[in-house]
Amino acid sequence: MDIDTLCGQHELYEIFCSLVKIPSPSLHEEKVIQWIQDFCKKNNLSCNLDEYKNVYISISATDSTKQPLMFSSHMDVVGDSSEVNLILDGEYIKANGRTLGADDKAGVAAALMLAKEVNSDKTLKHGGLEITFTRDEETNMSGIEHVDFSRIKSKYILVCDADKLAQVQISGASYTNAKLAVKALIGGHSGIDIGDKTRLNAAKLIAELLAEFPQGTFYQDETGVITSCNLGAIAAGGIQNAVKSIVDDNINSPDYITTIIDKASTNIINTDAKASYSIRSASVQKENELKQIMVGLVDEFNEKYKGLAEANITFEVHLPPFEKSDDDLIPELHTKVCKKLGIQNEVSSFHAGAETHIYAHNKNADGATFKPYLLGLADIYNMHSANEKVDYKTMLKGYSIIKELFLEFNSEKI
């Protein structure tokens, strides 16, 4: 069977293949947006754009006693604007020599299919279906930052962007950058001044301090790693000439660290050292506990080396956390639906960022804080690489999950 034959077997495959054939790198999603608009016009779906060209599709409620439900996906992909040639490799859809874009066009395709079916079923009683497709998720998340949340009526947001079938992820980690700096107050010559015990080496001091800092998993529970920290980089010593040499000579070697060491000065009792950490946490409480430990270690260091050296640490929040909600409705419905369909689901936390994090800190048209969840609608492998592929059989299962979830959501008295 070839890819064209597969696409003819189910409309979901046809929609998906049509979408992934259109290159849409971040901030260059215009052709995909136009395709979605044409699809909506053909199927009598209400489709509007905001000033940033995020897409909003809405189907009015047929039962005013029920709540609306929203699905969200992003339209951009990792990759360039080169041609996308699809191939079928066993049970997998791939793109020849480049990223496929199943992240997140599997989510876009499923949402469009659901919108078409819900809109065409005039007997279905529901509280309304809302769909939002965003731009630029892969680089800066500028699309979600420009979403007009006041036009969204739904409280529950299902972000269809996880990479494994039947995942429902109920929390996600923040991203905070911690920057540590150590300054020795008196430097000197590594030969002449080496005997002066007041001349401390900042590189040695930061190594001493870092040895006390946490590294790796800080806290985890039954859903996975909740809070962690990772040492990203250390810079210290007489590396000025080495770095200048790399920049000036345009050295582009994978062994640049060896180049720095070979060209670094060793005749300096250096006074400056810095390090950077990433902190990820799906719990504000646990992140604050981790920060307090780091600050406490810096305070102890400053007391020990008072008058000889100083250390300080600062924190920069780049992405707020998506914390677990006390409302278990969606994971419970997801589990119920998957059991009905004979699919094993997974309720978990994910240790990275997604658009869920932005939704979780905003409110809908009625002033209610959004309750987002990250759903997996297919098994996607090697995302963001030329070897990306999607198991096409899992796409149908993923679609059946969101369709049944929408029906189950509207059968409940919420």
Side-chain angles (χ1 to χ4, degrees), residues 360-414:
H361 292 269
N362 283 280
K363 300 179 185 296
N364 69 4
D366 296 324
T369 300
F370 291 118
K371 295 185 181 299
Y373 299 87
L374 195 71
L375 299 190
L377 302 188
D379 286 337
I380 304 172
Y381 302 89
N382 310 316
M383 290 196 311
H384 299 180
S385 80
N387 295 315
E388 183 185 357
K389 61 183 182 180
V390 60
D391 183 335
Y392 66 81
K393 292 183 178 179
T394 63
M395 291 174 62
L396 291 181
K397 293 180 180 179
Y399 177 69
S400 69
I401 291 173
I402 64 166
K403 183 177 179 180
E404 289 297 323
L405 188 57
F406 182 76
L407 296 175
E408 193 67 39
F409 180 84
N410 283 285
S411 71
E412 297 283 324
K413 292 184 179 180
I414 302 171

Side-chain angles (χ1 to χ4, degrees), residues 60-76:
S60 298
T62 57
D63 184 342
S64 61
T65 67
K66 300 181 183 298
Q67 287 192 46
L69 183 63
M70 191 178 107
F71 293 82
S72 177
S73 301
H74 63 86
M75 299 176 289
D76 64 315

Side-chain angles (χ1 to χ4, degrees), residues 278-331:
S278 68
I279 296 175
R280 298 180 186 271
S281 183
S283 165
V284 171
Q285 177 186 343
K286 291 300 179 182
E287 178 170 338
N288 287 337
E289 288 179 13
L290 175 57
K291 289 177 179 177
Q292 287 170 8
I293 289 173
M294 290 179 164
V295 170
L297 289 169
V298 168
D299 289 343
E300 290 176 10
F301 175 92
N302 286 333
E303 182 64 29
K304 179 179 180 180
Y305 292 106
K306 188 173 183 180
L308 299 174
E310 296 174 350
N312 70 79
I313 189 167
T314 58
F315 302 98
E316 298 175 359
V317 177
H318 293 273
L319 186 68
F322 155 40
E323 293 194 272
K324 181 182 180 299
S325 170
D326 292 333
D327 185 337
D328 293 325
L329 174 66
I330 294 299

Side-chain angles (χ1 to χ4, degrees), residues 186-220:
I186 307 173
H189 188 284
S190 66
I192 297 171
D193 300 315
I194 199 68
D196 186 346
K197 296 187 182 302
T198 66
R199 300 174 188 265
L200 303 184
N201 187 300
K204 180 67 168 64
L205 292 175
I206 201 169
E208 176 185 318
L209 185 51
L210 291 174
E212 300 296 322
F213 267 41
Q215 166 64 32
T217 300
F218 178 74
Y219 176 77
Q220 66 182 66

Side-chain angles (χ1 to χ4, degrees), residues 201-261:
N201 187 300
K204 180 67 168 64
L205 292 175
I206 201 169
E208 176 185 318
L209 185 51
L210 291 174
E212 300 296 322
F213 267 41
Q215 166 64 32
T217 300
F218 178 74
Y219 176 77
Q220 66 182 66
D221 63 15
E222 68 279 0
T223 65
V225 176
I226 300 299
T227 307
S228 71
C229 62
N230 181 65
L231 175 60
I234 309 170
I239 61 174
Q240 296 92 329
N241 292 336
V243 173
K244 185 176 186 300
S245 175
I246 289 175
V247 173
D248 290 348
D249 298 340
N250 195 25
I251 297 173
N252 188 22
S253 167
D255 198 17
Y256 65 91
I257 292 178
T258 297
T259 302
I260 290 175
I261 292 298

